[in-house]
Amino acid sequence: MYKSKILLWLFLTCLISACSTTKIATSETASEAEYAPAPQAETSAKPAPSSTHAKAKANARAASTQNNVHSDERLGTKWGDDLSSYVTQVDLKRLSSSPIDETQIRYASKQFSGRGINSISLASGKISFSVVDDRGRILPLYRDGQNYYLSANDGQSYQLRYSNTSNQTFEIVASVDGLDVLDGSRASRSKSGYVLRPYSSFAIEGFRKSNSSVASFTFSKPQNSYAANSASGSIQNTGVIGTVVYELKAPKYYPPKKTNDGYAPAPNAFPAD
């Protein structure tokens, strides 16, 4: 167990409540899927030619090649507008020095190929990670194998949103363009992070300037990025958003069971219920 104490940043309860009630526009629910059973193999059927498998592999390689980013498509994240964002420090311990999960999103000014997804599942499905705009609308991600991509636009502001659906407490160590979002220094797994409480959500809106404000994340040309204009950063590291997850030693939260304490229950919403 990781014994040394770490200082973690925790969103104030009022901010967590505000974030958890933020409305996020999701894609419309798809209609019920249909499928046709595979036909029975005929005894006289000839085996598929060996070139079929080779062609499938070639198509997969071509799809991955389409996600290569050219120099004129590269983007970074600049030091954006000043936003009010209040935090406080808490003293918690990690259960282990090793993270339980981590992921990266590569972004650029291009249309990526792959399976479109709304969020990335972390910590065995306990955490949902998505990128949203200022209105809370999800920016579509693309999954190609084990890689994730985001089609971004120069000048667009964004936030990193995390939701915890479990009774465990986690630490989120986030980085943008190779820089830690809390102190602006070179990204590292050993950095402090934000505390994600049980059954709660929050959004990281920018690089932290103080305990009361952040500089909003805004996509920009690489030369205008914070990484390119910071002593700790490098223009070579632009175009990557990183997330590392640790579990923290904290009491597990169990929602109270609903009870009327012996009093008359509230009426149903509709008399016919």
Side-chain angles (χ1 to χ4, degrees):
M1 182 179 295
Y2 188 56
K3 297 295 185 179
S4 61
K5 294 184 177 180
I6 56 174
L7 288 178
L8 307 174
W9 291 93
L10 171 65
F11 274 105
L12 292 177
T13 303
C14 61
L15 286 181
I16 293 178
S17 299
C19 290
S20 62
T21 57
T22 300
K23 295 182 179 179
I24 297 180
T26 57
S27 58
E28 295 182 356
T29 303
S31 58
E32 185 176 355
E34 298 178 331
Y35 73 96
Q40 296 292 326
E42 298 180 4
T43 55
S44 59
K46 296 181 180 180
S50 58
S51 60
T52 302
H53 182 62
K55 185 176 181 180
K57 292 180 66 176
N59 290 338
R61 286 195 299 269
S64 297
T65 303
Q66 291 177 4
N67 289 331
N68 291 340
V69 177
H70 301 292
S71 58
D72 60 337
E73 298 172 327
R74 291 187 59 191
L75 288 177
T77 295
K78 70 178 182 179
W79 184 271
D81 298 330
D82 182 86
L83 301 175
S84 295
S85 175
Y86 297 88
V87 293
T88 187
Q89 288 181 315
V90 294
D91 192 9
L92 294 174
K93 297 179 181 178
R94 294 174 180 170
L95 287 180
S96 171
S97 59
S98 300
I100 61 172
D101 210 345
E102 57 185 291
T103 191
Q104 284 188 343
I105 298 174
R106 300 185 182 278
Y107 65 88
S109 179
K110 68 169 295 176
Q111 181 61 49
F112 289 104
S113 64
R115 177 62 184 268
I117 62 173
N118 293 323
S119 63
I120 298 174
S121 177
L122 298 172
S124 301
K126 299 180 180 69
I127 298 174
S128 175
F129 168 39
S130 58
V131 182
V132 302
D133 65 13
D134 282 341
R135 295 185 178 182
R137 296 174 299 193
I138 292 176
L139 301 181
L141 300 170
Y142 297 91
R143 184 184 65 208
D144 181 16
Q146 296 182 347
N147 300 316
Y148 296 98
Y149 301 93
L150 170 65
S151 297
N153 296 313
D154 185 11
Q156 181 181 34
S157 295
Y158 67 94
Q159 305 171 15
L160 310 180
R161 183 174 176 82
Y162 302 87
S163 297
N164 182 4
T165 59
S166 75
N167 61 359
Q168 298 164 260
T169 301
F170 299 101
E171 177 190 7
I172 303 297
V173 180
S175 62
V176 172
D177 295 347
L179 295 176
D180 184 79
V181 300
L182 275 175
D183 63 14
S185 63
R186 185 177 179 181
S188 170
R189 292 180 179 84
S190 63
K191 293 290 185 179
S192 299
Y194 287 97
V195 174
L196 182 57
R197 295 290 186 178
Y199 305 107
S200 68
S201 301
F202 67 70
I204 302 176
E205 298 178 284
F207 296 105
R208 182 146 296 280
K209 301 169 63 177
S210 67
N211 63 357
S212 60
S213 67
V214 296
S216 64
F217 296 136
T218 303
F219 294 122
S220 69
K221 297 298 183 183
Q223 61 269 25
N224 297 326
S225 67
Y226 178 43
N229 295 277
S230 167
S232 300
S234 169
I235 195 172
Q236 301 302 322
N237 295 331
T238 55
V240 180
I241 298 170
T243 294
V244 179
V245 181
Y246 293 90
E247 186 175 357
L248 297 176
K249 185 178 181 180
K252 292 186 177 181
Y253 174 78
Y254 295 94
K257 295 182 179 180
K258 292 184 178 181
T259 176
N260 57 19
D261 296 324
Y263 299 108
N268 292 328
F270 300 97
D273 288 351

